C-alpha cells in the first residue's frame, strides 16, 4: 500500500499521512474484568496477532495479491476494530470522558475508510490510487476528531489565564515543529511544482495536521491527570508507533521502494490494535487507583486562584519561573499514606515540562540556523513563525512570573499565618530528631512547662519524662515507628513531664512522623487527670464516710480470693474472712434526734472501724447502717486458732462500735450485730458476702448485739424459706389452703360463743405446713396482703352461709396492726365485704395481734373506731405476753381481751403466773371486757381460769380446729361439757403446785379428749 505522493521529507516523528493513528486518551475508571489472568490472556492474544502480521509481512505473505489484500484491507480491518472498540467502550461503560472516546472512534473510522478506498483502487480495480482521491479526504478527516478528543481529555483550566497558557503551550510546540519542518522540507513542498494545486495542498495539509496532532499529544502528556494512566500510556504508545512508521515511510530510502504488505505495514497494524486495546487497558489493571473508583484530579494554579477551591490551602511549592502551567493536587496526600494512590511528583516529567519553552525556542533557532548554514536565505515563514514562538515564550514567561509572585506572596502569608498559630497556641509543639534530641520547641513551652523554649532545644527528650513512665513511652514510640504510616498515621502518649519548678505535669501528646523523627503536639492535662482521679475515687468511695463502697469492697474481696500465689493460696484463702456489720437501733437515732445526728454517728462509727482493722485490710460502708470489713488471710496453718482470732477481733469491734457516741453533747448508744464468714475454695466475692450477711441476720435474730459465725445450715434455711415463699405464691391460686374454725367456749356452761378462723396449707406434694411456718414466710413476702385478704373473705363468706342456715355465730379473724393500716385493705373494702355477704352486725371479730412499735397508735385508733362503727368487734390478742399491750389497752377501742398462750400454759404449775393471770383478768373484769383464754388444753386449766374470773376459753380441752362439716355438727349441739372441781388450788413447794382434788379429764359426754387428728386437715 502506498501513501499519497509527496516530495517532502519531514522531521522524524511527524506523520505526513495519518493513516491509522491512535489518539492519546485517558479512559475513566472501568469495572475490573475477571482478573489478572484474563488480562494476561488478552495481552497475549494481542501480541500473537501483531507478531503473526509481522511474520507474514516479512515473508511477503506468499503472493503479491495476498500482500495487497493484507496491506490494504488488513489495515482497514485493524482501524475498524479500533473504531468499534472505542465506540462500544463509550456506549457500554459509565465513563467520565464519553465524548473523547466517541471522537476517537470517529477518527479511527476515518482511517479505516481511507484504507478501504485505497484497497478498492489497488485490489479491486487493480490500478494505482489517483492523487488526490477520496482516500485523501478520509485521511485528512482523521486528525481533527483526534485533536478535539485530546483537548477533551486534557486537564481543563479553570480560569481565563489558564486557557491562555494552554493555547500558548500548544503554539510553542506546534510553532517550533513548524519552523523546523518548514526549514527542512515544507518550504520546498509549498512551491507549486507538482502535477496540480490539490497535490501541493495535500503535501502541506498532511504534515501540518501531523504537527498539530503531535503538539496536542505533547501538551496532553504534560497536562493530563493521573487517572487511567494505563489507557493513556497505551494510546500514546500506539500513536508513537504509527508516527514512527509514517516517518520511515516518508524517508527517501523507503518511499521509492514501498509497496503494500511490507514489514512497515506491521507497525501501522500494531498501532491500530493497540488503540483498540487502549480503552480496556485500565479496566484490566488490578491494584491501580482507578479500581476503587477514585479519580485523581489535577488543578492548575493560576494567579488569584488557589488549588482545589479551598481558600486556606497553602501552596506546596512555587513553580519554576520557566515552567508551564503549574499543577497542584486538590488534596495533598496524607503523610505516610499510600503512595500508589497518591503518587509522588515525577521529577523527569516535571523537568521536561519546565524545559518545554526553552526546547521550543531552541528548535526555532535550529530551523533558522539550518537555512543560514546551508547558504539559504531565511524564509519569511520561518521568521514569522520563530518570532511568534519567541513572543509566545515571552508572554508565557510573563504569566508564570506573575504566577510566581502571587504564589510567593501567598506562601509568605501562609507562613506568617501558621507561625502565628504555632506561637499563639496553648499546646506545645516539639520536634525531636531520630536521636531523641529536641530540635524545635514552640514558645508555648514557657507558659505550659515553666521553661523557655530555648532552654529545651538541644536537650534529651528522655531526660524530661518521669522515670516510671519512660519505659512505656519508649515502647509506644518503637511500636508506632514500626507500624505502617498508612495504617497508623498518629498515636497518643500520656506521661509525666518535668516542669521548670521540678514538679511533674501530666502531659498528653499527639505524635506524628517527621523526616525520621517525631513531632509532639503536647498539652497539660494535669487538672484533667486530677479530676479523673477524684471522680474515680468518688465512684469507689462512700461520700459520707470516705470508706470504700460496695463496688470497691467487692472487687477487693475478689482480688483477695484470686490474687494469691499458688504456693500459699490454699491456706491464705481459707484464713480470709469478711465481717458484715449492722448497727442496731440506728433508725431510732434518725427518728428521734434527726438525720444529721445519724450521719455524724455513721462518720464516727466508720472512723472506729477504720482504726480497728490492719493496714492491709479493708473497711467499707455498704449502705445505710451496714458496714463490712475484709480481713486478709495469712499463712497460719491452725484453722481453729485463726477462727478464734477473727471472732475475738469481731467481738472487740462489736464492743468498740457499741460504745457511746458523743453527738451534740449527748451520748448516743447503738449496738452492733456482726456476721463472720470465712473464704472457702470455689466461693466468689458475692457468695462470701452473702454468707456474712446471713450470719449477721442470724445474730440480729438471736437478740442483737452479738457475733455469729456462718454455718452452712443458715444457707439451707434461707433456701428452704425461699422455696416455701415461691410455693406460697401459687398455693392461693391453686386452692391448696383450707380454712378451719376452732370453737370459743363460755367457761361457765360450755356454750359456743364464737369461732376462730385458722388457715391450713397442705401442698400439692402432700406436705403439711404448720401455720408457724407459712405465716412467718408470708409476713416476710409480698403475699402477706393477699393471704390475709383471702382468710378474711373466706371467713366472712362461710360465716354468712352458716347464718343463712340458722347457725349464727361470730367469727374471729386474726390480723396484725400493720396489716390493718395497709393501703391494700381500705376501710371501704371491709364494709363492702360485709354488705355483699349480708353478715349481721357483731358477727365479725378482728383479733388485733403483733403490735409493732413502728405502728402509729393514733392511726390505728382511728381505723379501729371506724371498724367498730361498722359493727365489727375488736379483740386484743396476746394480752399479757408482749410489750405494749397495756398501752394498747389504754389507747385502743377494745371489746375482748385474749390472754397470751404462754400465761395459760403455766397457770396451773406456777404461782407467779397464777397471780399475773389473775390480775390481768381482774383488769378485764373491771373494764367490763370479755376475756378469752387461748391454748386451754387441760381440764385443770379450765377449772383454774374459771375460778380466776375468765369468761371464755379456746383450746384442745374443748375442741381442735374443725372443718366446715364438723363445725356445723358442733354448732348444732351448741355446747361442750366443761370439767368441774374445787375452786382453790393446793400448791406444793410454794412456787408451784397442782390441784389436789380429782378433776374429771373427760367431757360431759364421757368421751375422752379427742385428738386434733380427727380433722381432715390436721391442725397444729
Amino acid at each position: 500500500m502506498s501513501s499519497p505522493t509527496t516530495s517532502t521529507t519531514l522531521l522524524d516523528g511527524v506523520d505526513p499521512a495519518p493513516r491509522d493513528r491512535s489518539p492519546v486518551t485517558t479512559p475513566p475508571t472501568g469495572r475490573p474484568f475477571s482478573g489478572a489472568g484474563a488480562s494476561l490472556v488478552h495481552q497475549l492474544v494481542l501480541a500473537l496477532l501483531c507478531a503473526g502480521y509481522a511474520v507474514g509481512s516479512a515473508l511477503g505473505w506468499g503472493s503479491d495479491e495476498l500482500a495487497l489484500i493484507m496491506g490494504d484491507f488488513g489495515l482497514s480491518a485493524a482501524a475498524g476494530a479500533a473504531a468499534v472498540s472505542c465506540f462500544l467502550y463509550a456506549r457500554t461503560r459509565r465513563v467520565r470522558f464519553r465524548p473523547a472516546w466517541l471522537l476517537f472512534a470517529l477518527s479511527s473510522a476515518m482511517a479505516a475508510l481511507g484504507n478501504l478506498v485505497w484497497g478498492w483502487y489497488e485490489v479491486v480495480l487493480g490500478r494505482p490510487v489517483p492523487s488526490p482521491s477520496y482516500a485523501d479526504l478520509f485521511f485528512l478527516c482523521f486528525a481533527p476528531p483526534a485533536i478535539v478528543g485530546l483537548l477533551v481529555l486534557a486537564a481543563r483550566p479553570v480560569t481565563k489565564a489558564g486557557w491562555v497558557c494552554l493555547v500558548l503551550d500548544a503554539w510553542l510546540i506546534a510553532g517550533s515543529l513548524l519552523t523546523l519542518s518548514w526549514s527542512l522540507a515544507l518550504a520546498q513542498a509549498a512551491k507549486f511544482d507538482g502535477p496540480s494545486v490539490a497535490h501541493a495542498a495535500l503535501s502541506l495539509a498532511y504534515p501540518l495536521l501531523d504537527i498539530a496532532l503531535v503538539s496536542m499529544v505533547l501538551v496532553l502528556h504534560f497536562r493530563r491527570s493521573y487517572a487511567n494512566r494505563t489507557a493513556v500510556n497505551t494510546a500514546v504508545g500506539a500513536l508513537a508507533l504509527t508516527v514512527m512508521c509514517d516517518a520511515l515511510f516518508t524517508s527517501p530510502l523507503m518511499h521509492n521502494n514501498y509497496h503494500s504488505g511490507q514489514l512497515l505495514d506491521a507497525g501501522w497494524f500494531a498501532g491500530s490494535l493497540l488503540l483498540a486495546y487502549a480503552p480496556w487497558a485500565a479496566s484490566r489493571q488490578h491494584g491501580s487507583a482507578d479500581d476503587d473508583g477514585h479519580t485523581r484530579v489535577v488543578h492548575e494554579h493560576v494567579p488569584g486562584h488557589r488549588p482545589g477551591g479551598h481558600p486556606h490551602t497553602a501552596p506546596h511549592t512555587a513553580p519554576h519561573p520557566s515552567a508551564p502551567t503549574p499543577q497542584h493536587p486538590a488534596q495533598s496526600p496524607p503523610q505516610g499514606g499510600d503512595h500508589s494512590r497518591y503518587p509522588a511528583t515525577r521529577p523527569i516529567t516535571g523537568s521536561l515540562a519546565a524545559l518545554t519553552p526553552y526546547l521550543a525556542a531552541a528548535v526555532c533557532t535550529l530551523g533558522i540556523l539550518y537555512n543560514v548554514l546551508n547558504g539559504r536565505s531565511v524564509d519569511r515563514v520561518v521568521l514569522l513563525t520563530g518570532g511568534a514562538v519567541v513572543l509566545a515564550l515571552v508572554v508565557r514567561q510573563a504569566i508564570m512570573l506573575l504566577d510566581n509572585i502571587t504564589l510567593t506572596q501567598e506562601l509568605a502569608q501562609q507562613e506568617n499565618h501558621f507561625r502565628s498559630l504555632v506561637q499563639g497556641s496553648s499546646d506545645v509543639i516539639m520536634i525531636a530528631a531520630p536521636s531523641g534530641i529536641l530540635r524545635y520547641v514552640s514558645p508555648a513551652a514557657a507558659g505550659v512547662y515553666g521553661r523557655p523554649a530555648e532552654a529545651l532545644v538541644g536537650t534529651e527528650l528522655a531526660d524530661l519524662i518521669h522515670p516510671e513512665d519512660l519505659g512505656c513511652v519508649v515502647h509506644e514510640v518503637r511500636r508506632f515507628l514500626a507500624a505502617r504510616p498508612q495504617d497508623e498515621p498518629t498515636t497518643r502518649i500520656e506521661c509525666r513531664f518535668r516542669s521548670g519548678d521540678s514538679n511533674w505535669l501530666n502531659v498528653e501528646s499527639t505524635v506524628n512522623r517527621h523526616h525520621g523523627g517525631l513531632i509532639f503536639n503536647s498539652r497539660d492535662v494535669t487538672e484533667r487527670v486530677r479530676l479523673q482521679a477524684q471522680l474515680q475515687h468518688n465512684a469507689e468511695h462512700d461520700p459520707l464516710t470516705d470508706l470504700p463502697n460496695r463496688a470497691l469492697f467487692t472487687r477487693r474481696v475478689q482480688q483477695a480470693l484470686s490474687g494469691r500465689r499458688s504456693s500459699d493460696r490454699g491456706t491464705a484463702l481459707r484464713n480470709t474472712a469478711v465481717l458484715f456489720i449492722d448497727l442496731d437501733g440506728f433508725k431510732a437515732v434518725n427518728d428521734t434526734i434527726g438525720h444529721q445526728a445519724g450521719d455524724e454517728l455513721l462518720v464516727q462509727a466508720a472512723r472506729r472501724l477504720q482504726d480497728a482493722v490492719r493496714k492491709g485490710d479493708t473497711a467499707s460502708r455498704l449502705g445505710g447502717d451496714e458496714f463490712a470489713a475484709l480481713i486478709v488471710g495469712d499463712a497460719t496453718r491452725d484453722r481453729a486458732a485463726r477462727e478464734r482470732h477473727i471472732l475475738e477481733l469481731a467481738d472487740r469491734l462489736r464492743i468498740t462500735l457499741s460504745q457511746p457516741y458523743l453527738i451534740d453533747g449527748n451520748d448516743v448508744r447503738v449496738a452492733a450485730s456482726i456476721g463472720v464468714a470465712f473464704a472457702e475454695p470455689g466461693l466468689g466475692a458475692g457468695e462470701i458476702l452473702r454468707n456474712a450477711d446471713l450470719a449477721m441476720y442470724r445474730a440480729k435474730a438471736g437478740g442483737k448485739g452479738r457475733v455469729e459465725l456462718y454455718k452452712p445450715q443458715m444457707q439451707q434455711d434461707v433456701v428452704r424459706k425461699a422455696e416455701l415463699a415461691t410455693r406460697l405464691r401459687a398455693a392461693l391460686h391453686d386452692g391448696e389452703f383450707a380454712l378451719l374454725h376452732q370453737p370459743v367456749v363460755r367457761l361457765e356452761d360450755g356454750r359456743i360463743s364464737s369461732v376462730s378462723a385458722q388457715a391450713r396449707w397442705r401442698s400439692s406434694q402432700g406436705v403439711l405446713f404448720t401455720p408457724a411456718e407459712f405465716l412467718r414466710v408470708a409476713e416476710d413476702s409480698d403475699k402477706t396482703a393477699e393471704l390475709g385478704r383471702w382468710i378474711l373473705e373466706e371467713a366472712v363468706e362461710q360465716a354468712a352461709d352458716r347464718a343463712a342456715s340458722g347457725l349464727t355465730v361470730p367469727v374471729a379473724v386474726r390480723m396484725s396492726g400493720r396489716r390493718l393500716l395497709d393501703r391494700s385493705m381500705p376501710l371501704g373494702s371491709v364494709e363492702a365485704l360485709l354488705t355483699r355477704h349480708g353478715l349481721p352486725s357483731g358477727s365479725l371479730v378482728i383479733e388485733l395481734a403483733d403490735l409493732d412499735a413502728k405502728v402509729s397508735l393514733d392511726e390505728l385508733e382511728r381505723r379501729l373506731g371506724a371498724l367498730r362503727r361498722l359493727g365489727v368487734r375488736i379483740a386484743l390478742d396476746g394480752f399479757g405476753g408482749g410489750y405494749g399491750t397495756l398501752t394498747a389497752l389504754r389507747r385502743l377501742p377494745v371489746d375482748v381481751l385474749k390472754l397470751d398462750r404462754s400465761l395459760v400454759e403455766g397457770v396451773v404449775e406456777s404461782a407467779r403466773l397464777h397471780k399475773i393471770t389473775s390480775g390481768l383478768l381482774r383488769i378485764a373484769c373491771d373494764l367490763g371486757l370479755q376475756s378469752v383464754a387461748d391454748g386451754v388444753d387441760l381440764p385443770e386449766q379450765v377449772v383454774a381460769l374459771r375460778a380466776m374470773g375468765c369468761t371464755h376459753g379456746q383450746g384442745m380441752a374443748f375442741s381442735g380446729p374443725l372443718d366446715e362439716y364438723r363445725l356445723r355438727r358442733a354448732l348444732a349441739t351448741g355446747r361442750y361439757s366443761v370439767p368441774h372441781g374445787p375452786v382453790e388450788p393446793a400448791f406444793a413447794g410454794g412456787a408451784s403446785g397442782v390441784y389436789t382434788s380429782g378433776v374429771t379429764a373427760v367431757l360431759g359426754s364421757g368421751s375422752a379428749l379427742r385428738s386434733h387428728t380427727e380433722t381432715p386437715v390436721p391442725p397444729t
Side-chain angles (χ1 to χ4, degrees):
M1 166 179 165
S2 61
S3 177
T5 305
T6 176
S7 60
T8 62
T9 303
L10 300 183
L11 181 66
D12 188 24
V14 180
D15 182 11
R19 309 170 43 190
D20 203 17
R21 273 179 250 194
S22 303
V24 181
T25 63
T26 307
T29 304
R31 182 176 302 172
F33 274 28
S34 59
S39 177
L40 292 176
V41 169
H42 289 89
Q43 293 175 6
L44 181 61
V45 170
L46 179 64
L48 290 177
L49 288 176
C50 295
Y53 193 95
V55 171
S57 300
L59 298 178
W61 296 106
S63 65
D64 294 339
E65 183 179 2
L66 181 59
L68 291 177
I69 293 175
M70 295 302 297
D72 294 334
F73 294 114
L75 293 182
S76 177
V84 173
S85 175
C86 294
F87 180 78
L88 291 178
Y89 182 80
R91 291 297 302 273
T92 59
R93 292 290 176 125
R94 300 179 60 183
V95 296
R96 180 180 177 187
F97 301 107
R98 186 187 304 274
W101 290 107
L102 292 176
L103 288 170
F104 295 146
L106 177 61
S107 177
S108 298
M110 294 298 101
L113 291 175
N115 284 298
L116 187 63
V117 172
W118 201 285
W120 176 265
Y121 281 106
E122 284 192 338
V123 177
V124 178
L125 300 181
R127 59 187 180 89
V129 182
S131 180
S133 66
Y134 288 107
D136 296 317
L137 176 64
F138 290 124
F139 287 142
L140 290 176
C141 291
F142 167 81
I147 293 174
V148 177
L150 293 175
L151 288 174
V152 173
L153 284 181
R156 303 178 188 179
V158 294
T159 62
K160 295 180 180 179
W163 284 106
V164 173
C165 292
L166 176 63
V167 174
L168 291 176
D169 289 341
W171 170 244
L172 286 173
I173 299 173
S176 62
L177 294 178
L178 177 62
T179 301
L180 185 60
S181 300
W182 191 273
S183 300
L184 296 177
L186 293 184
Q188 298 177 5
K191 297 178 181 180
F192 180 69
D193 56 357
S196 64
V197 176
H199 185 274
L202 285 175
S203 299
L204 292 176
Y206 281 119
L208 291 177
L209 288 175
D210 286 336
I211 290 173
L213 185 58
V214 170
S215 301
M216 291 308 304
V217 169
L218 293 176
V219 170
L220 173 65
H221 178 70
F222 293 126
R223 302 179 65 88
R224 75 178 189 272
S225 65
Y226 291 108
N228 299 329
R229 236 182 4 242
T230 303
V232 173
N233 293 336
T234 304
V236 170
L239 177 62
L241 181 60
T242 303
V243 171
M244 182 184 67
C245 293
D246 288 341
L248 293 174
F249 171 77
T250 55
S251 65
L253 180 62
M254 297 190 62
H255 180 73
N256 297 329
N257 300 322
Y258 172 81
H259 62 83
S260 297
Q262 286 186 341
L263 186 61
L264 188 62
D265 291 347
W268 285 316
F269 183 82
S272 297
L273 291 187
L274 282 178
L275 177 61
Y277 177 74
W280 310 95
S283 302
R284 303 175 189 276
Q285 181 185 12
H286 292 270
S288 67
D290 306 319
D291 292 339
D292 54 6
H294 293 279
T295 302
R296 290 185 281 277
V297 182
V298 178
H299 296 284
E300 180 182 18
H301 187 91
V302 296
H305 177 76
R306 293 179 176 86
H310 299 286
H312 299 293
T313 303
H316 297 282
T317 55
H320 191 279
S322 62
T325 306
Q327 299 172 355
H328 303 282
Q331 279 185 328
S332 59
Q335 185 176 4
D338 188 353
H339 297 287
S340 64
R341 289 178 58 111
Y342 300 94
T345 57
R346 302 181 181 183
I348 297 178
T349 303
S351 300
L352 291 177
L355 293 176
T356 299
Y358 302 104
L359 293 176
V363 169
C364 292
T365 304
L366 289 176
I368 297 174
L369 289 177
Y370 178 80
N371 288 308
V372 172
L373 293 177
N374 288 337
R376 304 175 186 173
S377 61
V378 181
D379 193 275
R380 287 177 297 178
V381 175
V382 174
L383 290 177
L384 290 175
T385 305
V389 169
V390 173
L391 180 61
L393 177 62
V394 172
V395 174
R396 185 70 176 86
Q397 295 302 99
I399 294 176
M400 292 306 304
L401 180 61
L402 294 176
D403 194 12
N404 277 353
I405 293 174
T406 303
L407 290 176
T408 303
Q409 293 176 350
E410 291 182 354
L411 182 59
Q413 292 176 359
Q414 294 291 344
E415 289 178 352
N416 293 332
H417 174 68
F418 286 110
R419 184 179 293 107
S420 62
L421 288 178
V422 171
Q423 293 179 352
S425 174
S426 60
D427 293 351
V428 180
I429 299 176
M430 301 182 297
I431 300 179
S435 61
I437 303 297
L438 293 178
R439 297 303 185 191
Y440 172 80
V441 179
S442 66
V448 176
Y449 299 147
R451 305 174 65 179
E454 297 78 8
L456 293 175
V457 173
T459 60
E460 284 277 357
L461 181 61
D463 296 339
L464 303 174
I465 299 175
H466 196 283
E468 296 179 0
D469 300 340
L470 183 59
C472 296
V473 172
V474 172
H475 173 75
E476 176 61 21
V477 168
R478 290 177 178 174
R479 186 202 60 78
F480 172 65
L481 293 177
R484 295 197 307 170
Q486 56 267 33
D487 294 338
E488 190 172 3
T490 63
T491 188
R492 190 179 66 88
I493 294 176
E494 188 169 333
C495 63
R496 284 169 287 181
F497 203 87
R498 188 190 303 276
S499 64
D501 54 1
S502 298
N503 292 326
W504 295 102
L505 302 176
N506 292 93
V507 175
E508 181 186 64
S509 301
T510 302
V511 185
N512 295 270
R513 298 174 179 85
H514 177 69
H515 299 302
L518 296 172
I519 297 178
F520 292 84
N521 190 353
S522 306
R523 62 202 62 87
D524 182 11
V525 293
T526 303
E527 291 301 323
R528 190 195 71 185
V529 172
R530 291 175 181 172
L531 178 59
Q532 288 177 344
Q534 184 62 41
L535 293 176
Q536 182 70 19
H537 179 85
N538 293 342
E540 295 180 341
H541 289 77
D542 176 57
L544 179 63
T545 62
D546 203 39
L547 291 179
N549 59 13
R550 182 182 292 271
L552 179 57
F553 183 77
T554 303
R555 186 160 63 251
R556 290 188 179 178
V557 171
Q558 187 61 43
Q559 292 173 356
L561 298 179
S562 59
R564 296 289 176 177
R565 299 189 303 271
S566 59
S567 58
D568 62 350
R569 183 177 181 273
T571 303
L573 172 64
R574 288 191 295 271
N575 291 337
T576 299
V578 170
L579 278 59
F580 205 102
I581 307 162
D582 185 84
L583 299 181
D584 302 322
F586 175 74
K587 187 178 184 303
V589 175
N590 280 337
D591 294 340
T592 54
I593 60 178
H595 289 273
Q596 185 174 358
D599 292 344
E600 178 62 25
L601 188 149
L602 291 176
V603 172
Q604 294 185 25
R607 191 177 302 118
R608 295 182 185 181
L609 177 60
Q610 184 70 45
D611 296 339
V613 298
R614 300 173 304 178
K615 182 178 180 180
D617 299 332
T618 302
S620 169
R621 182 190 177 205
L622 303 181
D625 60 343
E626 292 182 343
F627 295 85
L630 170 65
I631 309 301
V632 180
D634 52 26
T636 302
R637 297 291 179 178
D638 190 351
R639 175 65 180 271
R642 178 63 175 171
E643 288 187 3
R644 287 196 304 271
H645 172 70
I646 295 296
L647 292 177
E648 289 174 0
L649 172 63
D651 194 61
R652 290 197 303 269
L653 183 58
R654 178 190 63 81
I655 296 173
T656 301
L657 294 177
S658 300
Q659 295 297 320
Y661 295 85
L662 182 61
I663 300 176
D664 295 334
N666 299 319
D667 287 342
V668 179
R669 293 179 178 270
V670 293
S673 296
I674 302 178
V676 181
F678 282 91
E680 297 291 344
L683 283 184
E687 287 81 359
I688 190 173
L689 279 172
R690 178 203 62 200
N691 294 345
D693 192 16
L694 291 175
M696 185 271 296
Y697 275 107
R698 180 61 62 91
K700 292 178 72 72
K704 301 182 180 179
R706 300 173 63 251
V707 175
E708 191 75 30
L709 180 63
Y710 170 78
K711 296 180 177 57
Q713 182 62 37
M714 298 179 183
Q715 176 63 22
Q716 297 174 6
D717 293 343
V718 171
V719 171
R720 183 175 184 276
K721 189 174 181 181
E723 293 176 351
L724 195 60
T726 302
R727 295 166 66 180
L728 179 62
R729 293 184 179 94
L732 287 171
H733 303 283
D734 296 342
E736 296 180 3
F737 275 93
L739 194 64
L740 305 182
H741 295 83
Q742 188 172 26
V744 178
V745 178
R746 193 162 58 181
L747 299 182
E748 181 66 27
D749 53 9
R751 288 187 176 274
I752 301 176
S753 61
S754 63
V755 292
S756 176
Q758 300 177 11
R760 292 293 187 272
W761 176 19
R762 185 185 295 276
S763 68
S764 58
Q765 290 81 14
V767 180
L768 174 66
F769 297 102
T770 65
E773 290 179 312
F774 69 77
L775 289 179
R776 183 173 63 251
V777 172
E779 288 294 333
D780 295 337
S781 67
D782 56 355
K783 289 299 177 181
T784 305
E786 186 174 355
L787 178 60
R789 189 164 47 249
W790 178 85
I791 293 175
L792 179 62
E793 292 179 354
E794 192 72 13
V796 171
E797 182 180 0
Q798 293 185 15
D801 292 341
R802 289 192 296 270
S805 61
L807 301 175
T808 303
V809 60
V811 60
V813 179
R814 189 175 185 270
M815 302 182 70
S816 65
R818 182 180 298 179
R819 172 76 181 92
L820 282 172
L821 297 179
D822 190 25
R823 295 181 180 179
S824 63
M825 195 186 75
L827 179 62
S829 63
V830 178
E831 182 179 12
L833 182 64
L834 297 176
T835 303
R836 182 169 68 250
H837 295 286
L839 192 66
S841 179
S843 298
L844 177 63
V845 180
I846 298 295
E847 294 182 352
L848 187 61
D850 299 333
L851 285 177
D852 193 346
K854 300 177 182 179
V855 176
S856 174
L857 291 180
D858 294 334
E859 295 184 10
L860 187 58
E861 182 181 4
R862 288 191 294 270
R863 185 62 185 274
L864 293 178
L867 289 174
R868 290 189 70 187
R869 288 190 291 272
L870 293 175
V872 178
R873 300 174 64 198
I874 307 299
L876 184 59
D877 191 18
F879 184 63
Y883 299 102
T885 54
L886 293 177
T887 302
L889 180 61
R890 179 175 60 87
R891 296 282 304 274
L892 303 178
V894 177
D895 301 301
V896 179
L897 287 180
K898 195 168 186 179
L899 292 178
D900 188 76
R901 177 183 291 268
S902 61
L903 297 176
V904 178
E905 288 177 351
V907 72
V908 178
E909 295 86 0
S910 173
R912 179 184 296 272
L913 289 180
H914 186 278
K915 294 179 180 180
I916 293 174
T917 306
S918 178
L920 294 176
L921 291 173
R922 281 197 301 270
I923 293 175
C925 181
D926 294 341
L927 294 176
L929 302 178
Q930 177 181 321
S931 57
V932 178
D934 188 16
V936 183
D937 296 333
L938 301 175
E940 295 86 350
Q941 296 171 350
V942 176
V943 174
L945 290 171
R946 185 175 57 216
M948 287 185 286
C950 182
T951 59
H952 296 76
Q954 172 186 342
M956 294 303 296
F958 310 106
S959 172
L962 306 175
D963 59 6
E964 188 64 21
Y965 172 75
R966 289 177 172 79
L967 176 62
R968 288 178 177 266
R969 191 173 63 180
L971 291 178
T973 305
R975 70 173 63 214
Y976 287 97
S977 299
V978 294
H980 296 277
V983 296
E984 292 294 338
F987 295 104
S992 61
V994 296
Y995 286 87
T996 57
S997 60
V999 178
T1000 306
V1002 293
L1003 297 180
S1005 59
S1007 61
L1009 286 173
R1010 287 168 291 182
S1011 171
H1012 59 271
T1013 57
E1014 64 177 356
T1015 57
V1017 181
T1020 58

